[in-house]
Amino acid sequence: MRLLAPEKTEASTVKVTTIGKNFDPFDSGFVSDPYPTLAKIRESEPVFYSPAIDSWLVTRYETVRAVLRDTARFSPRIVSDPLTPLCPHARDIIVNSEFDVPGLLVNNDTPSHPHCRKFFGEPLKPHRLVSLRPFVERTVAAQIDKMMEKGPPADLAMGLTWDVPALVLFRLLGVPDEDVPQVKEYADSRVVLLWGRPTEEDQVRLTKGALDFFRYTTRLVHARMENPADDYPSAVLRQRDGDDSKATIRDIIGVTFNLLFAGHETTSSASANILSAVLSDAELWRGIVSGTVDISKVVEEGLRFDPPVQAWRRLALEDVVLDGVEIPKGSHILLHFAAANRDPERFEQPELFNTDRENAGQHTSFGIGAHFCLGATLARIEIETMIRQLSQRVPNLTLVPDQVPEYLPNTAFRGLRNLKVVW
């Protein structure tokens, strides 16, 4: 999270096509349903420049995959730079503070990235994340208990799919129960600050929140230095064993900050999106309830069909050509996972939600290559658990008809803010 990243330069010499001129990722129609527009773009002009976000959009599956794997020519260091550069007031807040979050994982380059990923990824290896399954089961059960006690209608997005990933992540990172409401409030602001189009007033407010959150994370890590526990900060501190060549305290604070700030948004969004698709298909839901449909296949196809991470960013380190289009060195590139996941050259009849799709797992939703998501195993466990327990305990669950879906306007994340159900 580089809040003080250099401001963007105007790409005045870039030729802007009609598609590029008209593309607006914040348009309400696109935010509500981007897929028809993305399909037309991918077919007619799969790579183009958008002046609205000073970025080149890449939409074909093979090209997105190739860029993700090519770390020599495409850098991830701009991934979490604010899409809308901070206004002077917001920048001054950071400049005159102790805020210091280095690029270590998602926005870090070779040669330091492999070491950082190995060191900070050790406590997040799949076999360790699987050990959280009992806590996930209890947490999901408790949230469903609350929902059923209140009775219908209920909002799955606010009462289940948002809370469960947050509570599991906070347990992993050692956030005390009494701090959970405050940390949830901190974390919910990052999407707009980094990938949205906030006003200057919003930037100031959200930047102050990020600074408060950084200070909270600093206190949390220092507390674990004094009193280690069974959580992520304590694990990396033990691995460090006082050796700054492995990781500094600054590094550990930075990674913990980013995980707290970002670690549950994708799972929250994915689970809401998948449940919406599943409950929209009565036959599919009956198959899940009866046990004739494999929930793991539902999850994989859901991640492809409506991915929580719609697009991710890269920086061109040299002049490149993508799908016949020349892109100059220093350009910002937006890799559109949502478009890639519905590329008919890779996925047959991509607009259909097909749980028998043999190559659904080839989706780009968790990234590809060196920066593949470290939390993918835990995300799958959480989503599968939510679907399974709902199907067992509330088999007659149905969507409230004619509800209007709400999404937060931004270029990276897509997750339902409301999903009302009855039973």
Side-chain angles (χ1 to χ4, degrees):
M1 183 176 182
R2 305 189 312 163
L3 290 181
L4 292 180
E7 295 188 5
K8 295 178 181 176
T9 57
E10 294 297 325
S12 56
T13 60
V14 174
K15 179 182 177 181
V16 181
T17 64
T18 300
I19 283 180
K21 188 181 300 182
N22 293 334
F23 180 74
D24 181 4
F26 302 103
D27 175 76
S28 59
F30 185 83
V31 171
S32 177
D33 184 7
Y35 296 105
T37 298
L38 291 173
K40 292 177 183 177
I41 289 171
R42 188 184 54 240
E43 182 178 353
S44 62
E45 197 173 335
V47 174
F48 68 92
Y49 175 74
S50 168
I53 54 175
D54 187 17
S55 299
W56 293 82
L57 267 74
V58 178
T59 58
R60 290 184 58 249
Y61 178 89
E62 291 298 340
T63 314
V64 167
R65 182 184 179 90
V67 173
L68 287 172
R69 289 194 174 279
D70 190 348
T71 57
R73 296 193 301 162
F74 302 97
S75 167
R77 64 174 175 263
I78 64 167
V79 161
S80 52
D81 292 1
L83 183 73
T84 302
L86 294 185
C87 65
H89 188 182
R91 289 178 67 85
D92 285 346
I93 291 172
I94 297 301
V95 168
N96 297 313
S97 74
E98 72 277 24
F99 186 90
D100 183 16
V101 180
L104 295 166
L105 293 176
V106 297
N107 59 343
N108 191 17
D109 285 306
T110 304
S112 63
H113 176 260
H115 164 75
C116 290
R117 184 176 175 90
K118 181 178 180 180
F119 179 84
F120 288 105
E122 182 64 31
L124 300 176
K125 283 189 174 179
H127 72 277
R128 295 194 178 190
L129 294 178
V130 167
S131 69
L132 284 167
R133 189 185 293 274
F135 180 74
V136 173
E137 295 280 357
R138 294 195 301 272
T139 303
V140 172
Q143 294 302 118
I144 295 176
D145 285 344
K146 292 178 183 178
M147 181 184 81
M148 297 185 72
E149 287 171 7
K150 291 181 179 179
D155 188 342
L156 286 183
M158 289 297 98
L160 182 69
T161 63
W162 200 94
D163 281 350
V164 168
L167 292 170
V168 172
L169 179 74
F170 298 157
R171 167 60 66 93
L172 175 65
L173 295 181
V175 175
D177 290 345
E178 61 269 21
D179 292 349
V180 165
Q182 184 64 65
V183 175
K184 284 167 66 176
E185 183 179 337
Y186 286 146
D188 203 30
S189 67
R190 67 181 277 275
V191 172
V192 174
L193 179 62
L194 299 185
W195 297 288
R197 191 181 279 167
T199 64
E200 291 191 2
E201 181 180 353
D202 286 338
Q203 283 189 343
V204 170
R205 175 177 57 82
L206 296 172
T207 300
K208 289 179 178 177
L211 179 56
D212 288 341
F213 198 13
F214 176 77
R215 289 168 175 161
Y216 174 86
T217 307
T218 301
R219 294 194 298 271
L220 177 65
V221 171
H222 281 283
R224 291 299 176 266
M225 292 171 66
E226 298 295 328
N227 297 291
D230 183 18
D231 55 32
Y232 181 83
S234 301
V236 291
L237 284 166
R238 283 192 293 270
Q239 287 178 190
R240 173 180 177 267
D241 194 26
D243 185 351
D244 280 353
S245 69
K246 296 179 180 178
T248 65
I249 298 301
R250 167 181 176 261
D251 294 340
I252 294 173
I253 292 171
V255 169
T256 304
F257 172 84
N258 278 326
L259 289 173
L260 280 170
F261 214 45
H264 72 278
E265 181 73 33
T266 51
T267 309
S268 296
S269 298
S271 51
N273 294 351
I274 293 172
L275 279 168
S276 176
V278 166
L279 292 173
S280 297
D281 185 336
E283 183 178 353
L284 174 56
W285 180 244
R286 284 195 294 270
I288 293 172
V289 169
S290 67
T292 58
V293 173
D294 186 336
I295 294 178
S296 66
K297 291 184 177 181
V298 172
V299 172
E300 221 56 46
E301 173 67 349
L303 289 167
R304 180 203 68 84
F305 183 78
D306 197 7
V309 180
Q310 293 276 289
W312 216 227
R313 302 169 74 197
R314 288 295 186 265
L315 177 70
L317 299 178
E318 58 185 64
D319 293 346
V320 295
V321 177
L322 297 177
D323 291 332
V325 178
E326 296 180 0
I327 299 176
K329 177 182 178 180
S331 295
H332 289 191
I333 297 173
L334 190 69
L335 303 172
H336 226 293
F337 294 174
N341 283 357
R342 294 198 183 193
D343 188 338
E345 293 184 8
R346 171 61 57 163
F347 303 102
E348 185 178 354
Q349 294 184 292
E351 306 304 321
L352 296 181
F353 192 105
N354 179 9
T355 57
D356 291 325
R357 190 181 301 278
E358 293 183 359
N359 67 340
Q362 294 176 3
H363 60 72
T364 60
S365 303
F366 287 129
I368 292 170
H371 289 83
F372 183 81
C373 177
L374 287 168
T377 295
L378 183 57
R380 289 184 171 103
I381 289 172
E382 292 176 70
I383 300 168
E384 288 182 21
T385 302
M386 283 186 263
I387 295 173
R388 175 172 45 77
Q389 288 203 25
L390 282 171
S391 69
Q392 292 171 346
R393 299 186 58 188
V394 203
N396 57 338
L397 197 66
T398 57
L399 293 175
V400 171
D402 302 323
Q403 57 183 301
V404 179
E406 296 177 13
Y407 299 92
L408 198 61
N410 73 98
T411 59
F413 292 94
R414 173 176 167 85
L416 278 165
R417 316 298 286 183
N418 62 313
L419 187 61
K420 297 177 182 177
V421 294
V422 293
W423 59 91

PDB file of all heavy atoms in Angstrom, residues 73-104:
ATOM      1  N   ARG A  73       9.082  -8.018 -17.372  1.00  0.00           N
ATOM      2  CA  ARG A  73       8.627  -6.849 -18.130  1.00  0.00           C
ATOM      3  C   ARG A  73       7.447  -6.127 -17.504  1.00  0.00           C
ATOM      4  O   ARG A  73       7.152  -4.982 -17.869  1.00  0.00           O
ATOM      5  CB  ARG A  73       8.250  -7.268 -19.556  1.00  0.00           C
ATOM      6  CG  ARG A  73       9.412  -7.797 -20.380  1.00  0.00           C
ATOM      7  CD  ARG A  73       9.029  -7.874 -21.845  1.00  0.00           C
ATOM      8  NE  ARG A  73       7.880  -8.745 -22.072  1.00  0.00           N
ATOM      9  CZ  ARG A  73       7.145  -8.720 -23.182  1.00  0.00           C
ATOM     10  NH1 ARG A  73       7.408  -7.848 -24.139  1.00  0.00           N
ATOM     11  NH2 ARG A  73       6.141  -9.566 -23.333  1.00  0.00           N
ATOM     12  N   PHE A  74       6.777  -6.784 -16.535  1.00  0.00           N
ATOM     13  CA  PHE A  74       5.580  -6.199 -15.936  1.00  0.00           C
ATOM     14  C   PHE A  74       5.689  -6.251 -14.409  1.00  0.00           C
ATOM     15  O   PHE A  74       5.721  -7.336 -13.829  1.00  0.00           O
ATOM     16  CB  PHE A  74       4.324  -6.934 -16.407  1.00  0.00           C
ATOM     17  CG  PHE A  74       4.157  -6.930 -17.897  1.00  0.00           C
ATOM     18  CD1 PHE A  74       4.568  -8.018 -18.657  1.00  0.00           C
ATOM     19  CD2 PHE A  74       3.608  -5.837 -18.543  1.00  0.00           C
ATOM     20  CE1 PHE A  74       4.423  -8.024 -20.037  1.00  0.00           C
ATOM     21  CE2 PHE A  74       3.462  -5.824 -19.922  1.00  0.00           C
ATOM     22  CZ  PHE A  74       3.870  -6.924 -20.677  1.00  0.00           C
ATOM     23  N   SER A  75       5.756  -5.098 -13.793  1.00  0.00           N
ATOM     24  CA  SER A  75       5.951  -5.015 -12.346  1.00  0.00           C
ATOM     25  C   SER A  75       4.615  -4.897 -11.615  1.00  0.00           C
ATOM     26  O   SER A  75       3.710  -4.196 -12.062  1.00  0.00           O
ATOM     27  CB  SER A  75       6.807  -3.788 -12.013  1.00  0.00           C
ATOM     28  OG  SER A  75       6.774  -3.515 -10.621  1.00  0.00           O
ATOM     29  N   PRO A  76       4.509  -5.551 -10.444  1.00  0.00           N
ATOM     30  CA  PRO A  76       3.300  -5.431  -9.635  1.00  0.00           C
ATOM     31  C   PRO A  76       3.330  -4.265  -8.646  1.00  0.00           C
ATOM     32  O   PRO A  76       2.414  -4.115  -7.846  1.00  0.00           O
ATOM     33  CB  PRO A  76       3.272  -6.768  -8.881  1.00  0.00           C
ATOM     34  CG  PRO A  76       4.721  -7.053  -8.645  1.00  0.00           C
ATOM     35  CD  PRO A  76       5.437  -6.547  -9.886  1.00  0.00           C
ATOM     36  N   ARG A  77       4.370  -3.441  -8.680  1.00  0.00           N
ATOM     37  CA  ARG A  77       4.534  -2.486  -7.585  1.00  0.00           C
ATOM     38  C   ARG A  77       3.453  -1.411  -7.516  1.00  0.00           C
ATOM     39  O   ARG A  77       3.334  -0.726  -6.500  1.00  0.00           O
ATOM     40  CB  ARG A  77       5.917  -1.845  -7.629  1.00  0.00           C
ATOM     41  CG  ARG A  77       6.245  -0.986  -8.820  1.00  0.00           C
ATOM     42  CD  ARG A  77       7.611  -0.314  -8.599  1.00  0.00           C
ATOM     43  NE  ARG A  77       8.074   0.451  -9.731  1.00  0.00           N
ATOM     44  CZ  ARG A  77       8.920   0.017 -10.650  1.00  0.00           C
ATOM     45  NH1 ARG A  77       9.380  -1.222 -10.573  1.00  0.00           N
ATOM     46  NH2 ARG A  77       9.308   0.788 -11.665  1.00  0.00           N
ATOM     47  N   ILE A  78       2.629  -1.265  -8.568  1.00  0.00           N
ATOM     48  CA  ILE A  78       1.561  -0.264  -8.514  1.00  0.00           C
ATOM     49  C   ILE A  78       0.223  -0.856  -8.086  1.00  0.00           C
ATOM     50  O   ILE A  78      -0.789  -0.149  -8.062  1.00  0.00           O
ATOM     51  CB  ILE A  78       1.385   0.438  -9.869  1.00  0.00           C
ATOM     52  CG1 ILE A  78       0.922  -0.571 -10.941  1.00  0.00           C
ATOM     53  CG2 ILE A  78       2.654   1.155 -10.285  1.00  0.00           C
ATOM     54  CD1 ILE A  78       0.434   0.090 -12.224  1.00  0.00           C
ATOM     55  N   VAL A  79       0.205  -2.156  -7.753  1.00  0.00           N
ATOM     56  CA  VAL A  79      -1.051  -2.848  -7.449  1.00  0.00           C
ATOM     57  C   VAL A  79      -1.916  -2.068  -6.459  1.00  0.00           C
ATOM     58  O   VAL A  79      -3.121  -1.893  -6.654  1.00  0.00           O
ATOM     59  CB  VAL A  79      -0.770  -4.266  -6.910  1.00  0.00           C
ATOM     60  CG1 VAL A  79      -1.980  -4.816  -6.164  1.00  0.00           C
ATOM     61  CG2 VAL A  79      -0.406  -5.201  -8.061  1.00  0.00           C
ATOM     62  N   SER A  80      -1.311  -1.611  -5.375  1.00  0.00           N
ATOM     63  CA  SER A  80      -2.101  -0.951  -4.327  1.00  0.00           C
ATOM     64  C   SER A  80      -1.814   0.541  -4.217  1.00  0.00           C
ATOM     65  O   SER A  80      -2.053   1.144  -3.174  1.00  0.00           O
ATOM     66  CB  SER A  80      -1.859  -1.641  -2.977  1.00  0.00           C
ATOM     67  OG  SER A  80      -0.480  -1.744  -2.694  1.00  0.00           O
ATOM     68  N   ASP A  81      -1.314   1.145  -5.309  1.00  0.00           N
ATOM     69  CA  ASP A  81      -1.243   2.605  -5.347  1.00  0.00           C
ATOM     70  C   ASP A  81      -2.658   3.147  -5.518  1.00  0.00           C
ATOM     71  O   ASP A  81      -3.477   2.540  -6.216  1.00  0.00           O
ATOM     72  CB  ASP A  81      -0.410   3.083  -6.540  1.00  0.00           C
ATOM     73  CG  ASP A  81       1.065   2.735  -6.416  1.00  0.00           C
ATOM     74  OD1 ASP A  81       1.438   2.097  -5.407  1.00  0.00           O
ATOM     75  OD2 ASP A  81       1.824   3.091  -7.329  1.00  0.00           O
ATOM     76  N   PRO A  82      -2.960   4.284  -4.923  1.00  0.00           N
ATOM     77  CA  PRO A  82      -4.294   4.867  -5.146  1.00  0.00           C
ATOM     78  C   PRO A  82      -4.535   5.134  -6.633  1.00  0.00           C
ATOM     79  O   PRO A  82      -3.728   5.787  -7.295  1.00  0.00           O
ATOM     80  CB  PRO A  82      -4.246   6.169  -4.347  1.00  0.00           C
ATOM     81  CG  PRO A  82      -3.191   5.951  -3.317  1.00  0.00           C
ATOM     82  CD  PRO A  82      -2.158   5.078  -3.985  1.00  0.00           C
ATOM     83  N   LEU A  83      -5.635   4.612  -7.159  1.00  0.00           N
ATOM     84  CA  LEU A  83      -5.990   4.864  -8.549  1.00  0.00           C
ATOM     85  C   LEU A  83      -6.195   6.357  -8.775  1.00  0.00           C
ATOM     86  O   LEU A  83      -5.783   6.923  -9.787  1.00  0.00           O
ATOM     87  CB  LEU A  83      -7.261   4.099  -8.908  1.00  0.00           C
ATOM     88  CG  LEU A  83      -7.730   4.210 -10.349  1.00  0.00           C
ATOM     89  CD1 LEU A  83      -6.823   3.405 -11.267  1.00  0.00           C
ATOM     90  CD2 LEU A  83      -9.172   3.752 -10.487  1.00  0.00           C
ATOM     91  N   THR A  84      -6.841   7.003  -7.804  1.00  0.00           N
ATOM     92  CA  THR A  84      -7.002   8.453  -7.811  1.00  0.00           C
ATOM     93  C   THR A  84      -5.926   9.035  -6.911  1.00  0.00           C
ATOM     94  O   THR A  84      -5.963   8.837  -5.693  1.00  0.00           O
ATOM     95  CB  THR A  84      -8.392   8.861  -7.278  1.00  0.00           C
ATOM     96  OG1 THR A  84      -9.401   8.247  -8.078  1.00  0.00           O
ATOM     97  CG2 THR A  84      -8.561  10.374  -7.304  1.00  0.00           C
ATOM     98  N   PRO A  85      -4.917   9.726  -7.475  1.00  0.00           N
ATOM     99  CA  PRO A  85      -3.821  10.245  -6.647  1.00  0.00           C
ATOM    100  C   PRO A  85      -4.339  11.078  -5.478  1.00  0.00           C
ATOM    101  O   PRO A  85      -5.325  11.815  -5.612  1.00  0.00           O
ATOM    102  CB  PRO A  85      -3.014  11.098  -7.631  1.00  0.00           C
ATOM    103  CG  PRO A  85      -3.313  10.517  -8.969  1.00  0.00           C
ATOM    104  CD  PRO A  85      -4.744  10.061  -8.901  1.00  0.00           C
ATOM    105  N   LEU A  86      -3.666  10.949  -4.335  1.00  0.00           N
ATOM    106  CA  LEU A  86      -4.098  11.673  -3.147  1.00  0.00           C
ATOM    107  C   LEU A  86      -3.998  13.185  -3.355  1.00  0.00           C
ATOM    108  O   LEU A  86      -3.039  13.689  -3.954  1.00  0.00           O
ATOM    109  CB  LEU A  86      -3.239  11.275  -1.942  1.00  0.00           C
ATOM    110  CG  LEU A  86      -3.354   9.836  -1.445  1.00  0.00           C
ATOM    111  CD1 LEU A  86      -2.537   9.672  -0.172  1.00  0.00           C
ATOM    112  CD2 LEU A  86      -4.803   9.446  -1.198  1.00  0.00           C
ATOM    113  N   CYS A  87      -4.980  13.889  -2.841  1.00  0.00           N
ATOM    114  CA  CYS A  87      -4.966  15.344  -2.881  1.00  0.00           C
ATOM    115  C   CYS A  87      -3.888  15.858  -1.915  1.00  0.00           C
ATOM    116  O   CYS A  87      -3.420  15.112  -1.038  1.00  0.00           O
ATOM    117  CB  CYS A  87      -6.336  15.906  -2.497  1.00  0.00           C
ATOM    118  SG  CYS A  87      -6.823  15.574  -0.782  1.00  0.00           S
ATOM    119  N   PRO A  88      -3.464  17.113  -2.043  1.00  0.00           N
ATOM    120  CA  PRO A  88      -2.386  17.636  -1.184  1.00  0.00           C
ATOM    121  C   PRO A  88      -2.652  17.465   0.309  1.00  0.00           C
ATOM    122  O   PRO A  88      -1.736  17.117   1.074  1.00  0.00           O
ATOM    123  CB  PRO A  88      -2.321  19.116  -1.576  1.00  0.00           C
ATOM    124  CG  PRO A  88      -2.773  19.128  -3.002  1.00  0.00           C
ATOM    125  CD  PRO A  88      -3.847  18.080  -3.092  1.00  0.00           C
ATOM    126  N   HIS A  89      -3.879  17.692   0.753  1.00  0.00           N
ATOM    127  CA  HIS A  89      -4.191  17.567   2.180  1.00  0.00           C
ATOM    128  C   HIS A  89      -3.988  16.127   2.659  1.00  0.00           C
ATOM    129  O   HIS A  89      -3.377  15.887   3.707  1.00  0.00           O
ATOM    130  CB  HIS A  89      -5.628  18.018   2.446  1.00  0.00           C
ATOM    131  CG  HIS A  89      -5.977  18.098   3.904  1.00  0.00           C
ATOM    132  ND1 HIS A  89      -7.239  18.458   4.359  1.00  0.00           N
ATOM    133  CD2 HIS A  89      -5.230  17.858   5.030  1.00  0.00           C
ATOM    134  CE1 HIS A  89      -7.245  18.434   5.690  1.00  0.00           C
ATOM    135  NE2 HIS A  89      -6.050  18.068   6.110  1.00  0.00           N
ATOM    136  N   ALA A  90      -4.483  15.176   1.880  1.00  0.00           N
ATOM    137  CA  ALA A  90      -4.338  13.768   2.261  1.00  0.00           C
ATOM    138  C   ALA A  90      -2.868  13.352   2.243  1.00  0.00           C
ATOM    139  O   ALA A  90      -2.399  12.609   3.123  1.00  0.00           O
ATOM    140  CB  ALA A  90      -5.148  12.884   1.327  1.00  0.00           C
ATOM    141  N   ARG A  91      -2.112  13.837   1.248  1.00  0.00           N
ATOM    142  CA  ARG A  91      -0.688  13.508   1.182  1.00  0.00           C
ATOM    143  C   ARG A  91       0.061  14.072   2.389  1.00  0.00           C
ATOM    144  O   ARG A  91       0.942  13.422   2.951  1.00  0.00           O
ATOM    145  CB  ARG A  91      -0.075  14.048  -0.113  1.00  0.00           C
ATOM    146  CG  ARG A  91      -0.526  13.317  -1.362  1.00  0.00           C
ATOM    147  CD  ARG A  91       0.084  13.928  -2.619  1.00  0.00           C
ATOM    148  NE  ARG A  91       1.521  13.724  -2.666  1.00  0.00           N
ATOM    149  CZ  ARG A  91       2.116  12.634  -3.142  1.00  0.00           C
ATOM    150  NH1 ARG A  91       1.393  11.626  -3.586  1.00  0.00           N
ATOM    151  NH2 ARG A  91       3.442  12.543  -3.166  1.00  0.00           N
ATOM    152  N   ASP A  92      -0.305  15.284   2.801  1.00  0.00           N
ATOM    153  CA  ASP A  92       0.358  15.901   3.952  1.00  0.00           C
ATOM    154  C   ASP A  92       0.139  15.086   5.228  1.00  0.00           C
ATOM    155  O   ASP A  92       1.021  15.009   6.086  1.00  0.00           O
ATOM    156  CB  ASP A  92      -0.153  17.325   4.159  1.00  0.00           C
ATOM    157  CG  ASP A  92       0.403  18.302   3.134  1.00  0.00           C
ATOM    158  OD1 ASP A  92       1.374  17.933   2.441  1.00  0.00           O
ATOM    159  OD2 ASP A  92      -0.145  19.414   3.012  1.00  0.00           O
ATOM    160  N   ILE A  93      -1.044  14.483   5.338  1.00  0.00           N
ATOM    161  CA  ILE A  93      -1.333  13.658   6.521  1.00  0.00           C
ATOM    162  C   ILE A  93      -0.334  12.510   6.612  1.00  0.00           C
ATOM    163  O   ILE A  93       0.190  12.204   7.696  1.00  0.00           O
ATOM    164  CB  ILE A  93      -2.775  13.106   6.449  1.00  0.00           C
ATOM    165  CG1 ILE A  93      -3.784  14.252   6.628  1.00  0.00           C
ATOM    166  CG2 ILE A  93      -3.003  12.032   7.535  1.00  0.00           C
ATOM    167  CD1 ILE A  93      -5.215  13.833   6.373  1.00  0.00           C
ATOM    168  N   ILE A  94      -0.030  11.883   5.476  1.00  0.00           N
ATOM    169  CA  ILE A  94       0.904  10.765   5.457  1.00  0.00           C
ATOM    170  C   ILE A  94       2.339  11.240   5.626  1.00  0.00           C
ATOM    171  O   ILE A  94       3.119  10.665   6.408  1.00  0.00           O
ATOM    172  CB  ILE A  94       0.749   9.967   4.150  1.00  0.00           C
ATOM    173  CG1 ILE A  94      -0.658   9.365   4.054  1.00  0.00           C
ATOM    174  CG2 ILE A  94       1.800   8.867   4.060  1.00  0.00           C
ATOM    175  CD1 ILE A  94      -1.014   8.426   5.186  1.00  0.00           C
ATOM    176  N   VAL A  95       2.698  12.301   4.912  1.00  0.00           N
ATOM    177  CA  VAL A  95       4.067  12.821   4.981  1.00  0.00           C
ATOM    178  C   VAL A  95       4.447  13.187   6.411  1.00  0.00           C
ATOM    179  O   VAL A  95       5.581  12.950   6.856  1.00  0.00           O
ATOM    180  CB  VAL A  95       4.222  14.052   4.059  1.00  0.00           C
ATOM    181  CG1 VAL A  95       5.546  14.773   4.334  1.00  0.00           C
ATOM    182  CG2 VAL A  95       4.150  13.626   2.596  1.00  0.00           C
ATOM    183  N   ASN A  96       3.511  13.758   7.145  1.00  0.00           N
ATOM    184  CA  ASN A  96       3.791  14.231   8.505  1.00  0.00           C
ATOM    185  C   ASN A  96       3.440  13.193   9.569  1.00  0.00           C
ATOM    186  O   ASN A  96       3.165  13.543  10.721  1.00  0.00           O
ATOM    187  CB  ASN A  96       3.027  15.530   8.763  1.00  0.00           C
ATOM    188  CG  ASN A  96       3.478  16.653   7.849  1.00  0.00           C
ATOM    189  OD1 ASN A  96       4.671  16.883   7.690  1.00  0.00           O
ATOM    190  ND2 ASN A  96       2.526  17.344   7.232  1.00  0.00           N
ATOM    191  N   SER A  97       3.454  11.927   9.184  1.00  0.00           N
ATOM    192  CA  SER A  97       3.139  10.849  10.123  1.00  0.00           C
ATOM    193  C   SER A  97       4.224   9.789  10.062  1.00  0.00           C
ATOM    194  O   SER A  97       5.167   9.885   9.277  1.00  0.00           O
ATOM    195  CB  SER A  97       1.787  10.218   9.778  1.00  0.00           C
ATOM    196  OG  SER A  97       1.906   9.400   8.620  1.00  0.00           O
ATOM    197  N   GLU A  98       4.063   8.748  10.864  1.00  0.00           N
ATOM    198  CA  GLU A  98       5.008   7.635  10.877  1.00  0.00           C
ATOM    199  C   GLU A  98       4.575   6.506   9.937  1.00  0.00           C
ATOM    200  O   GLU A  98       5.169   5.425   9.925  1.00  0.00           O
ATOM    201  CB  GLU A  98       5.145   7.092  12.308  1.00  0.00           C
ATOM    202  CG  GLU A  98       3.938   6.320  12.839  1.00  0.00           C
ATOM    203  CD  GLU A  98       2.830   7.208  13.400  1.00  0.00           C
ATOM    204  OE1 GLU A  98       2.741   8.399  13.003  1.00  0.00           O
ATOM    205  OE2 GLU A  98       2.031   6.712  14.217  1.00  0.00           O
ATOM    206  N   PHE A  99       3.543   6.742   9.129  1.00  0.00           N
ATOM    207  CA  PHE A  99       3.039   5.709   8.224  1.00  0.00           C
ATOM    208  C   PHE A  99       4.162   5.200   7.324  1.00  0.00           C
ATOM    209  O   PHE A  99       4.810   5.978   6.617  1.00  0.00           O
ATOM    210  CB  PHE A  99       1.905   6.270   7.367  1.00  0.00           C
ATOM    211  CG  PHE A  99       1.215   5.247   6.504  1.00  0.00           C
ATOM    212  CD1 PHE A  99       0.124   4.548   6.989  1.00  0.00           C
ATOM    213  CD2 PHE A  99       1.662   4.969   5.217  1.00  0.00           C
ATOM    214  CE1 PHE A  99      -0.525   3.607   6.201  1.00  0.00           C
ATOM    215  CE2 PHE A  99       1.039   4.033   4.427  1.00  0.00           C
ATOM    216  CZ  PHE A  99      -0.067   3.343   4.920  1.00  0.00           C
ATOM    217  N   ASP A 100       4.392   3.883   7.323  1.00  0.00           N
ATOM    218  CA  ASP A 100       5.499   3.304   6.562  1.00  0.00           C
ATOM    219  C   ASP A 100       5.185   1.847   6.267  1.00  0.00           C
ATOM    220  O   ASP A 100       5.406   0.966   7.101  1.00  0.00           O
ATOM    221  CB  ASP A 100       6.797   3.429   7.357  1.00  0.00           C
ATOM    222  CG  ASP A 100       8.005   2.896   6.588  1.00  0.00           C
ATOM    223  OD1 ASP A 100       7.894   2.730   5.372  1.00  0.00           O
ATOM    224  OD2 ASP A 100       9.049   2.669   7.229  1.00  0.00           O
ATOM    225  N   VAL A 101       4.635   1.592   5.087  1.00  0.00           N
ATOM    226  CA  VAL A 101       4.275   0.227   4.702  1.00  0.00           C
ATOM    227  C   VAL A 101       5.035  -0.131   3.428  1.00  0.00           C
ATOM    228  O   VAL A 101       4.660   0.284   2.331  1.00  0.00           O
ATOM    229  CB  VAL A 101       2.753   0.096   4.474  1.00  0.00           C
ATOM    230  CG1 VAL A 101       2.410  -1.342   4.072  1.00  0.00           C
ATOM    231  CG2 VAL A 101       1.991   0.491   5.733  1.00  0.00           C
ATOM    232  N   PRO A 102       6.129  -0.884   3.534  1.00  0.00           N
ATOM    233  CA  PRO A 102       6.932  -1.229   2.354  1.00  0.00           C
ATOM    234  C   PRO A 102       6.229  -2.252   1.474  1.00  0.00           C
ATOM    235  O   PRO A 102       5.366  -3.011   1.926  1.00  0.00           O
ATOM    236  CB  PRO A 102       8.201  -1.822   2.972  1.00  0.00           C
ATOM    237  CG  PRO A 102       7.741  -2.389   4.282  1.00  0.00           C
ATOM    238  CD  PRO A 102       6.667  -1.461   4.786  1.00  0.00           C
ATOM    239  N   GLY A 103       6.605  -2.276   0.194  1.00  0.00           N
ATOM    240  CA  GLY A 103       6.104  -3.303  -0.702  1.00  0.00           C
ATOM    241  C   GLY A 103       6.831  -4.612  -0.443  1.00  0.00           C
ATOM    242  O   GLY A 103       8.059  -4.681  -0.581  1.00  0.00           O
ATOM    243  N   LEU A 104       6.099  -5.657  -0.068  1.00  0.00           N
ATOM    244  CA  LEU A 104       6.738  -6.922   0.285  1.00  0.00           C
ATOM    245  C   LEU A 104       6.127  -8.121  -0.429  1.00  0.00           C
ATOM    246  O   LEU A 104       6.833  -9.057  -0.801  1.00  0.00           O
ATOM    247  CB  LEU A 104       6.651  -7.144   1.801  1.00  0.00           C
ATOM    248  CG  LEU A 104       7.434  -6.141   2.658  1.00  0.00           C
ATOM    249  CD1 LEU A 104       7.010  -6.237   4.112  1.00  0.00           C
ATOM    250  CD2 LEU A 104       8.933  -6.399   2.532  1.00  0.00           C
TER     251      LEU A 104
END
